[in-house]
Amino acid sequence: MSIAADALTTLVDDVLACRKCELAGLLAAANPIRPAVLEDARVVLIGQAPGPVTDRKGYHFAGPAGTFLSLWLDRAGFPPNYFREHVYLTSLTRCFPGKSPSGNGDRPPSRSEVALCRPYLDRELALLQPKLVILVGKMAIDTFLGKKPLTETVGKVYEHEGRALLPLPHASGVSRWLNAPENRALLDQALTELSHLRVALGL
Ligand code: SF4
């Protein structure tokens, strides 16, 4: 994948300056996560939204989900550090939505926030032209594949606009979905598919 580094740098500036959700009254204070300018990005990975650790540290997947995803890539046969060195990490929205009003976990971003942030994601995909996009969590999966249960999508590979899409479950380590043995088997299947894609696409 060739990278238009100057265009990515412009994207970084645009994202960091973005206050669209704040101005629309959707966020009390926008704090966009800085997109990485990867020298050699080979895969794009899209999550839901930054969590509190990412919000504090300022880079994508800085919290437990990043640790789990890196381990999952190891299981799919990628070399050490591939996750940080070759996977362009991004999400549907780029600002931490805050805690859920119920106090139970983080608030998922609203449809309006996702819509306002989408142009950045479209720019990233257009610039990076990845052969593989990994979709992490139901919200990212539903955005690209339409609403379906995770049990229908995890373990399968989809094709969209000439690129492979691989769904994975949320990887925070507190995902109850992975408590069920049959769902862990679907994750194993997804990582096997990821291993096949690694070889087939020369990632
Ligand atoms: S979530 Fe996206 S669109 Fe909204 S303020 Fe943050 S960077 Fe801008």
Side-chain angles (χ1 to χ4, degrees), residues 126-172:
L127 282 170
L128 296 165
Q129 291 294 329
K131 292 181 197 164
L132 171 64
V133 174
I134 300 177
L135 304 168
V136 177
K138 188 161 181 352
M139 201 164 175
I141 296 168
D142 286 353
T143 298
F144 284 82
L145 300 178
K147 262 189 180 311
K148 291 185 179 79
L150 274 183
T151 47
E152 267 185 35
T153 55
V154 173
K156 295 195 180 108
V157 179
Y158 296 80
E159 204 198 309
H160 181 67
E161 295 180 351
R163 59 180 59 118
L165 303 182
L166 181 95
L168 289 177
H170 197 260
S172 69

Side-chain angles (χ1 to χ4, degrees), residues 57-70:
K57 294 194 174 173
Y59 61 93
H60 280 288
F61 288 91
T67 306
F68 275 91
L69 285 163
S70 183

Side-chain angles (χ1 to χ4, degrees), residues 68-76 168-171 178 187 191:
F68 275 91
L69 285 163
S70 183
L71 290 170
W72 290 356
L73 260 66
D74 291 351
R75 281 171 59 188
L168 289 177
H170 197 260
L178 283 169
L187 173 62
L191 297 182

